[in-house]
Amino acid sequence: MKIAIIPARGGSKRIPRKNIKAFHGKPMIAYSIETAIASGCFDKVLVSTDDVEIANVAKEYGAQVPFLRPADISD
């Protein structure tokens, strides 16, 4: 089984909340998810995040978010 893992931290220092900021009409993380799915190379596309809002957006675009990462290992 081939799995794509997309890391998406909620606490970006340079651009806060950048993973869910709109860029040309979609959240930035949507591009990574859609590209991984469209490639046909992966059986699953997972997003690893510490942020509930990012997890919800990731799921909307077809990724799986099996758990939220603990904040102490999300730097």
Side-chain angles (χ1 to χ4, degrees):
M1 176 174 286
K2 295 179 185 176
I3 300 172
I5 300 174
I6 301 170
R9 213 171 70 131
S12 174
K13 293 179 180 160
R14 292 187 186 163
I15 303 173
R17 317 289 298 153
K18 73 178 171 200
N19 291 300
I20 55 174
K21 285 214 184 276
F23 182 74
H24 288 278
K26 290 192 265 191
M28 288 182 56
I29 194 167
Y31 292 95
S32 300
I33 294 167
E34 290 177 340
T35 300
I37 291 170
S39 75
C41 295
F42 305 104
D43 300 308
K44 290 184 180 184
V45 176
L46 304 179
V47 170
S48 174
T49 187
D50 60 332
D51 186 278
V52 173
E53 201 171 357
I54 292 172
N56 290 335
V57 170
K59 290 174 187 176
E60 284 178 37
Y61 284 90
Q64 295 178 29
V65 184
F67 57 86
L68 290 180
R69 223 173 34 227
D72 62 325
I73 62 168
S74 295
D75 60 355

